[in-house]
Coordinates of all heavy atoms in Angstrom, one line a residue:
L14 N -17.0 -7.0 21.8 CA -16.7 -7.4 20.5 C -16.0 -8.8 20.5 O -15.3 -9.1 21.5 CB -15.9 -6.4 19.7 CG -16.7 -5.1 19.3 CD1 -15.8 -4.0 19.0 CD2 -17.6 -5.5 18.1
P15 N -16.0 -9.5 19.4 CA -15.2 -10.8 19.4 C -13.7 -10.5 19.6 O -13.2 -9.4 19.2 CB -15.5 -11.3 18.0 CG -16.8 -10.7 17.6 CD -16.8 -9.3 18.2
P16 N -13.0 -11.5 20.1 CA -11.6 -11.4 20.3 C -10.9 -11.3 18.9 O -11.4 -11.8 17.9 CB -11.1 -12.6 21.0 CG -12.2 -13.6 20.7 CD -13.5 -12.8 20.6
V17 N -9.7 -10.6 18.9 CA -9.0 -10.4 17.6 C -7.6 -10.9 17.7 O -6.9 -10.8 18.7 CB -8.9 -8.9 17.3 CG1 -8.2 -8.6 16.0 CG2 -10.3 -8.3 17.2
V18 N -7.1 -11.5 16.6 CA -5.7 -11.9 16.4 C -5.1 -11.0 15.4 O -5.6 -10.9 14.3 CB -5.5 -13.4 16.1 CG1 -6.3 -13.8 14.8 CG2 -4.1 -13.7 16.0
D19 N -4.1 -10.3 15.7 CA -3.4 -9.4 14.9 C -2.2 -10.1 14.2 O -1.2 -10.4 14.9 CB -2.9 -8.2 15.7 CG -2.1 -7.1 14.9 OD1 -1.7 -7.4 13.8 OD2 -1.9 -6.0 15.5
I20 N -2.2 -10.3 12.9 CA -1.1 -11.0 12.2 C -0.6 -10.1 11.2 O -1.3 -9.7 10.2 CB -1.6 -12.4 11.6 CG1 -0.5 -13.0 10.8 CG2 -2.9 -12.2 10.8 CD1 0.7 -13.5 11.6
E21 N 0.7 -9.7 11.3 CA 1.3 -8.7 10.4 C 2.6 -9.1 9.8 O 3.1 -8.5 8.8 CB 1.5 -7.4 11.1 CG 0.2 -6.8 11.7 CD 0.5 -5.5 12.4 OE1 1.4 -4.7 12.0 OE2 -0.2 -5.2 13.4
T22 N 3.2 -10.2 10.3 CA 4.5 -10.6 9.9 C 4.7 -12.1 9.9 O 4.0 -12.8 10.7 CB 5.6 -9.9 10.8 OG1 6.9 -10.4 10.4 CG2 5.3 -10.3 12.3
L23 N 5.6 -12.6 9.1 CA 5.9 -14.0 9.1 C 6.9 -14.4 10.2 O 7.1 -15.5 10.5 CB 6.5 -14.4 7.7 CG 5.5 -14.4 6.5 CD1 6.3 -14.7 5.2 CD2 4.4 -15.4 6.7
D24 N 7.7 -13.4 10.7 CA 8.7 -13.6 11.7 C 9.7 -14.6 11.3 O 10.2 -15.4 12.1 CB 8.0 -14.1 13.0 CG 7.7 -12.9 13.9 OD1 8.0 -11.7 13.5 OD2 7.1 -13.1 15.0
G25 N 10.0 -14.7 10.0 CA 11.0 -15.6 9.5 C 10.5 -17.0 9.2 O 11.3 -17.9 8.8
V26 N 9.3 -17.3 9.4 CA 8.8 -18.7 9.1 C 8.1 -18.7 7.8 O 7.8 -17.7 7.2 CB 7.8 -19.2 10.2 CG1 8.5 -19.1 11.6 CG2 6.5 -18.4 10.2
S27 N 7.8 -19.9 7.3 CA 7.1 -20.0 6.0 C 5.6 -19.6 6.1 O 5.1 -19.7 7.2 CB 7.2 -21.4 5.5 OG 6.4 -22.3 6.3
P28 N 5.0 -19.2 5.0 CA 3.6 -18.9 5.0 C 2.8 -20.0 5.5 O 1.8 -19.8 6.2 CB 3.3 -18.5 3.6 CG 4.6 -18.0 3.0 CD 5.6 -18.8 3.7
L29 N 3.1 -21.3 5.1 CA 2.4 -22.4 5.6 C 2.5 -22.6 7.1 O 1.4 -22.8 7.8 CB 2.9 -23.7 4.9 CG 2.3 -25.0 5.3 CD1 0.8 -25.0 5.0 CD2 3.0 -26.2 4.6
R30 N 3.7 -22.4 7.7 CA 3.8 -22.6 9.1 C 3.0 -21.5 9.8 O 2.4 -21.7 10.8 CB 5.3 -22.5 9.5 CG 5.6 -22.2 10.9 CD 5.5 -23.5 11.8 NE 5.7 -23.2 13.2 CZ 6.9 -23.1 13.8 NH1 8.0 -23.2 13.0 NH2 7.0 -22.8 15.1
M31 N 3.1 -20.3 9.3 CA 2.3 -19.2 9.9 C 0.8 -19.5 9.9 O 0.2 -19.3 10.9 CB 2.5 -17.9 9.1 CG 1.8 -16.7 9.5 SD 0.1 -16.5 8.8 CE 0.5 -16.3 7.1
R32 N 0.3 -20.0 8.8 CA -1.1 -20.3 8.7 C -1.5 -21.5 9.7 O -2.6 -21.5 10.3 CB -1.5 -20.7 7.3 CG -1.6 -19.4 6.4 CD -2.3 -19.7 5.1 NE -1.5 -20.7 4.3 CZ -0.6 -20.3 3.4 NH1 -0.4 -18.9 3.1 NH2 0.1 -21.1 2.6
L33 N -0.6 -22.4 9.9 CA -0.9 -23.6 10.8 C -1.0 -23.1 12.2 O -1.9 -23.4 13.0 CB 0.1 -24.6 10.6 CG 0.1 -25.5 9.4 CD1 1.4 -26.4 9.3 CD2 -1.2 -26.3 9.3
E34 N 0.0 -22.2 12.6 CA 0.0 -21.7 14.0 C -1.2 -20.8 14.2 O -1.9 -20.8 15.3 CB 1.3 -21.0 14.3 CG 2.5 -21.9 14.2 CD 2.5 -23.0 15.2 OE1 1.7 -23.0 16.2 OE2 3.4 -23.9 15.1
L35 N -1.5 -20.0 13.2 CA -2.6 -19.0 13.3 C -4.0 -19.8 13.4 O -4.8 -19.4 14.2 CB -2.7 -18.1 12.1 CG -3.8 -17.1 12.0 CD1 -3.7 -16.1 13.2 CD2 -3.7 -16.3 10.7
S36 N -4.1 -20.9 12.7 CA -5.3 -21.7 12.7 C -5.5 -22.3 14.1 O -6.6 -22.4 14.6 CB -5.2 -22.8 11.6 OG -6.4 -23.6 11.7
D37 N -4.3 -22.8 14.7 CA -4.4 -23.3 16.0 C -4.9 -22.3 17.1 O -5.7 -22.6 18.0 CB -3.0 -23.8 16.5 CG -2.6 -25.2 15.8 OD1 -3.5 -25.8 15.2 OD2 -1.4 -25.5 15.9
F38 N -4.4 -21.1 16.9 CA -4.8 -20.0 17.8 C -6.4 -19.8 17.7 O -7.1 -19.7 18.7 CB -4.1 -18.7 17.5 CG -4.5 -17.5 18.3 CD1 -3.7 -17.2 19.4 CD2 -5.6 -16.7 18.0 CE1 -4.0 -16.1 20.2 CE2 -5.9 -15.6 18.8 CZ -5.2 -15.3 19.9
L39 N -6.8 -19.6 16.5 CA -8.2 -19.3 16.2 C -9.1 -20.4 16.7 O -10.2 -20.2 17.3 CB -8.4 -19.1 14.7 CG -7.8 -17.9 14.1 CD1 -7.7 -18.0 12.6 CD2 -8.5 -16.6 14.5
T40 N -8.7 -21.7 16.4 CA -9.5 -22.8 16.8 C -9.7 -22.9 18.4 O -10.8 -23.2 18.9 CB -8.9 -24.1 16.3 OG1 -8.8 -24.1 14.9 CG2 -9.8 -25.3 16.7

């Protein structure tokens, strides 16, 4: 199956920062 990234928390960062780092992971 395709690899999965599990995102459940902001860990204290902003939603924008979370999305930028998540996008880097996915790309």
Side-chain angles (χ1 to χ4, degrees):
L14 283 164
V17 179
V18 58
D19 177 348
I20 175 69
E21 302 179 31
T22 176
L23 292 176
D24 270 357
V26 305
S27 68
L29 178 59
R30 167 78 185 279
M31 177 272 294
R32 285 192 293 268
L33 289 172
E34 299 297 348
L35 181 61
S36 181
D37 285 348
F38 179 97
L39 294 164
T40 301

